Structure formats: structure tokens, C-alpha cells
Amino acid sequence: MTNPAVTPADWRVTDPALVDRLAIRELLENWVVWRDAGDWDRFATVWTEDGWMSATWFQGPAAEFIRVSREGWNKGVSILHFLGGTSIDLAGDRAIAQTKMTISQRAAVHDVACDVVCTGRFYDFLEKRKQRWGIVRRQPIYEKDRLDPIDPASAPSLDRDALSALPEGYRHLGYAQEQIGYRVKRDMPGLKGPEVEALYRRGAAWLAGGTAFDPPH
């Protein structure tokens, strides 16, 4: 017996939790595509109105992050992102998403053109407001990195003291970013340690109805 033809009606997703997960995954993918393409107007739509971005080189409101990212783009700063798998914890209109990612930056390190690759996770605090999901806070977790000259015959001579002063998970990325003028934050979460453990606790608090940030000391 031949099965009846599949119609678009058969493809409808009716599970509300699955609808939310799909919407969040689309949002996370849009962040990367629109940011790396310089599509700043659409990039602004992935955030809540009070969205906050934390990165090695920037910590502040999403609107300001978009402004400085655009300025860097216009100056030739080259930072690209690639995504892997995503794990999403839902609690009503709130969610925590962890997405495997790679940051790839091309920069001159001591006048040698290099590529720096950092692997980790985007740890996102999300909320649905007016039936639309948005990122309230994005905090990358930096797990490991490496630096390679574009021309293998021209390796830069790194300042070992300056390199070792940076956290292991983003040591080379931070080094390259400071070479082009950024000041890199020294206490970002890595694969292990008190910083990432504190982030996990804050994520659990967010799902339970708390704030996305630790209270001021």
C-alpha cells in the first residue's frame, strides 16, 4: 500500500517547547551570520533592549557593542565566528543556551600576518518578551586557542611574559587583540575554574527567576 503524499500541514510543529527551541537556535545562528556579514540593522534585532555583551575586548550594552564592532569592521578588523552544537535549557519565558563555537581572528602580530583560532562556547541568557526571544546577556567561555602565521616561514617572536600573563583559554587571542590596540579582560571564564563555575550558578539563578548578573559588591 502506498503512503499518502506528505503535505506541508504534516510538517507543522505543535510542541510549544520545540517551537521555542527552534526560535532560539535560529536566533543564535542569525547572531553569527548577521554580525560577520556586517548586517548591523538585523544584528540589532537579536538582542533585548537591555542586552549585554561580554568579550575579551569589550564588555557593555549591546547597542555599544554594535557601534564598536561596526567601527572595527570599517577599519578592517577581521573577526569571524563558526557554530557547532547547541544545548538549551528552558524555563517558561527564560532560557540558557550553550553553543559550541570558534572565533577566528586575522591580525598582524609583531608585523607578521597571523590567524588566531579560539574554541569555546557561547553562554547565553535569553528571554521571550512580547512573544519574541532575545539575548539578554552573552558570555563566551574560552576553552583553548592557537596562533598560526599565514606564511609558515614567517613566525612572529612572541613576548613570553606578556603571553603567559593572559588566561590559558584565550592566551593567543588576547595577545593578538592587544597587539592591535584592545585591552583584554583577564578574568573571562574558561573550561574550568571559579569564573566558569560562577557563570553556571548565575545561569541556574536566571532560570529560577533571578538576574543575569551577579549583584554589585
Side-chain angles (χ1 to χ4, degrees):
M1 179 177 178
T2 303
N3 291 329
V6 176
T7 67
D10 297 313
W11 303 340
R12 284 197 296 263
V13 178
T14 57
D15 179 355
L18 182 54
V19 171
D20 284 332
R21 291 178 187 278
L22 291 171
I24 289 169
R25 178 68 196 197
E26 182 181 37
L27 180 77
L28 302 177
E29 291 177 348
N30 285 342
W31 192 103
V32 166
V33 173
W34 293 341
R35 189 262 171 231
D36 288 359
D39 193 344
W40 307 114
D41 289 340
R42 287 206 288 179
F43 183 53
T45 68
V46 304
W47 305 89
T48 59
E49 64 276 6
D50 55 348
W52 185 275
M53 178 67 192
S54 296
T56 54
W57 60 277
F58 175 90
Q59 304 86 45
E64 183 68 8
F65 175 66
I66 295 168
R67 184 187 68 80
V68 296
S69 295
R70 189 170 193 162
E71 289 178 354
W73 167 281
N74 292 335
K75 293 177 182 177
V77 175
S78 175
I79 304 175
L80 300 175
H81 303 81
F82 301 88
L83 296 186
T86 295
S87 175
I88 300 170
D89 293 313
L90 282 172
D93 288 342
R94 289 188 170 195
I96 291 288
Q98 296 187 64
T99 307
K100 291 296 296 182
M101 60 82 179
T102 296
I103 301 168
S104 177
Q105 182 160 359
R106 178 164 291 184
V109 178
H110 301 302
D111 298 321
V112 177
C114 294
D115 279 334
V116 189
V117 175
C118 182
T119 298
R121 282 167 284 156
F122 283 135
Y123 193 97
D124 293 315
F125 297 69
L126 300 114
E127 190 166 28
K128 186 196 287 186
R129 301 176 183 175
K130 298 179 181 179
Q131 301 304 307
R132 186 186 72 84
W133 284 97
I135 298 173
V136 178
R137 176 188 176 189
R138 165 158 283 190
Q139 173 60 71
I141 298 171
Y142 302 90
E143 297 178 347
K144 69 172 186 176
D145 70 346
R146 62 179 291 161
L147 182 150
D148 299 287
I150 295 173
D151 178 359
S154 303
S157 179
L158 305 183
D159 182 328
R160 292 298 167 183
D161 290 336
L163 187 66
S164 63
L166 291 159
E168 181 179 0
Y170 55 100
R171 182 164 289 163
H172 299 88
L173 178 65
Y175 190 97
Q177 289 173 338
E178 293 205 333
Q179 284 289 304
I180 61 175
Y182 293 111
R183 173 63 181 172
V184 170
K185 200 171 188 292
R186 260 56 175 179
D187 61 350
M188 304 298 274
L191 180 60
K192 301 176 182 179
E195 293 84 5
V196 75
E197 293 297 332
L199 181 62
Y200 294 153
R201 289 193 296 272
R202 180 51 51 197
W206 172 253
L207 293 175
T211 68
F213 298 92
D214 292 322
H217 297 292

